[in-house]
Amino acid sequence: MITKKKKMKMKHYLYVACMFIAALAFTACSDDDDNSVKLANVTLHFNAPSELQSYNPTIGIQELTLKNINTGETTSVVKPGTRATTSNASITVSVPEGLYTISMEGSLSYKLNDEMVYTKMRAYQESVTFTEATGTSPLDVTGYVYNSSEEGGNFVIAEIFFTGTVTPEEKQYTGDKYFRIYNNSGDTLCADGLTIAESAFMTTSKYDYTPDIMNEAFSTKAIYRIPLGGKIMVPPGESLLLCDIGMDHTVANSNSFDLTKADFEWYDVSSNPSFEDTDTEVPNLEKIYCYTATIWGPHNRGFTSFALARLGDDENNQLSKEDYLKDYAYTYEYNMIIGGNVYPMSGDAYKIPNKWILDAVNLSVESEYVWNVTSPALDRGWTYCGKVNQDKTRYGKSVRRKVLSGKTLQDTNDSSVDFLPEQPADPYYKFHE
């Protein structure tokens, strides 16, 4: 017989059992809640490169991508109109908690020498942890400038060593001059057909040349180019070394360089046995034309200018040597006035259309400078090694392009501000780490 007391105990046990089951159910629900996706509200501040902060730059965020390292999932935010009037731009996004890499593509503009400069900016940061608490502390990410080859970034002349060196006995030494050609874009580019050309005219002597083609073409008297068809690929921020003679010059002159690691050398077959060139194992540039019948070298006082070009509209449409020389000859006339007497003069050169030119650098010296021999659309300024004619302090020095940010060199088409003059020449100088 079940007594009243036993019935009460059974009710108590039943109550405890029900409470236990309810607790399990609540716990299960709580576990489900803990496994739900938690979102982090992230505020990112993108800052202009530190070296451009004083120029009051404007940043435009075009696309932001956050990649979850653990899951591989990406969150992309396209904001083509997001701009800031200061040196930073902010954006807030919501993503699942996790470990992320941050990539931002944007634009950057600033004023340099009273002219606006428009370029592209990227920002990247990896291994960043985002949690619900992250939103309380905005994350600062500093960007860097880069050029896209599709929007004008291309090869540029990074360094010109035209002065040559002197021996320990202070005798002038030849054969160790060089050019550095640098990929200033964000893409790997093909260097086939890149051409170095020296100006036909000097920045230290001005005449009224007719026909005047300066706004249409670059007049040249020496043209050497990287051979076609080699598929010489250059990654962003890397360079090619083009030299006179690719040998170890330190053997003969301790003040010179070992140029055996050069990518190319210019080689001339001389008609004068007293002025023979030296052919080394370094590959030769293709000689398109040169005014001298012996051996060529850049003007060692810097009285001429240089252009980097392709002899055609692009890397896939370049002229043969024969076709170029046939179609792009330039004959000019001018008057030389001496003692009040006028002497009609003429000359022959070749021309490279300005639209084919990737970069140009005017050189001169302050005591002798008269004019630029390029269109201002190619170069508005000039740079130098030495301040007077025959300056003995110029030897061993080069002009070297400034680093703007990261792997990007400054290129505003004004060599007066884009280049550092009178730099210790170094054919293997590192523009970035």
Side-chain angles (χ1 to χ4, degrees), residues 253-274:
N253 176 15
S254 59
N255 292 330
S256 189
F257 321 101
D258 180 359
L259 295 177
T260 57
K261 297 179 181 179
D263 297 285
F264 292 94
E265 66 178 7
W266 58 85
Y267 174 73
D268 298 297
V269 177
S270 174
S271 62
N272 187 338
S274 299

Side-chain angles (χ1 to χ4, degrees), residues 19 25 35 76 162-163 195 230 274 301 311 323 368 416:
M19 291 299 294
N35 289 331
S76 294
F162 58 88
T163 60
T195 300
S274 299
R301 283 172 286 168
L311 303 182
D323 286 344
E368 308 297 318
S416 298

Side-chain angles (χ1 to χ4, degrees), residues 331-342:
T331 298
Y332 55 90
E333 296 177 346
Y334 63 100
N335 291 327
M336 181 178 288
I337 302 175
I338 302 177
N341 297 316
V342 178

